[in-house]
Amino acid sequence: MRGGWRQRAHTTLKKAAAMLARKAGQLVREEPRPFAGSNRRPDFEAVGAGGARTLVDVGLVVAGPGAYEGRKVATYRPHLEEDMVFYPVCFDVFGRAGPSAERWLSLVARSLGEALGFHRAAALRSARLVIASSVGGAVANALVENRARLAVTQPHIIAAARARERNT
């Protein structure tokens, strides 16, 4: 995912996921370089109370977060060390999670519930809401930004859309 709204949406999702991990009591380091001799870097590394290193790489796709997670696993698997666990945390633009993202959310929600005194189900709902809100906000901002850009660069497209709205 490169440039423009995609980069901003990815960053928003990454910040929300890292914030959840921090609230769950994990030590988070963003943009680590954990693999010797490789330029691959996950979005963040979280270390919990047990000392296990959890590497998280988030992704935002239009549809099919599960397939995208599979590609990320294939990319990172050759570089993982014994003390590392990797989660490709992928969501679609509607906030639906892929299978790996669901597992990660469940683990974070368990720690979040313990840290904040929530029931695990309430913590999981809260974690999902944080992610869905960040994804929804990023996509909404992109739509507004693109409409504003069209109004400046191609006003005839906006005029035609307004004319269609008046006629319906």
Side-chain angles (χ1 to χ4, degrees):
M1 186 178 326
R2 299 226 191 292
W5 77 269
R6 288 181 180 97
Q7 185 65 41
R8 284 188 296 283
H10 177 269
T11 299
T12 300
L13 179 58
K14 175 182 75 172
K15 297 282 185 196
M19 183 268 306
L20 282 174
R22 281 188 188 98
K23 293 283 186 193
Q26 298 176 351
L27 177 65
V28 174
R29 187 171 58 137
E30 293 188 34
E31 301 291 336
R33 295 206 180 261
F35 310 122
S38 173
N39 287 331
R40 297 274 178 220
R41 65 176 197 256
D43 289 316
F44 65 89
E45 176 180 6
V47 179
R53 296 168 61 193
T54 302
L55 304 177
V56 177
D57 196 45
V58 302
L60 184 63
V61 296
V62 174
Y68 192 65
E69 285 180 350
R71 288 199 308 253
K72 284 192 176 274
V73 167
T75 299
Y76 284 97
R77 181 175 287 143
H79 304 287
L80 295 178
E81 297 170 10
E82 282 186 32
D83 67 334
M84 295 177 179
V85 178
F86 175 68
Y87 284 97
V89 177
C90 297
F91 296 88
D92 69 14
V93 293
F94 302 105
R96 286 186 297 250
S100 182
E102 280 294 336
R103 284 190 300 279
W104 180 79
L105 275 173
S106 181
L107 290 170
V108 167
R110 183 179 330 144
S111 298
L112 193 60
E114 291 170 3
L116 300 177
F118 290 172
H119 186 275
R120 186 167 175 259
L124 184 57
R125 279 193 302 276
S126 296
R128 284 187 177 136
L129 182 60
V130 165
I131 294 296
S133 297
S134 69
V135 169
V139 170
N141 285 339
L143 292 172
V144 168
E145 181 181 297
N146 285 339
R147 175 121 183 179
R149 188 179 305 117
L150 277 176
V152 172
T153 60
Q154 300 179 359
H156 63 283
I157 292 175
I158 297 297
R162 287 186 179 144
R164 279 194 306 274
E165 287 174 3
R166 282 193 298 267
N167 293 334
T168 57

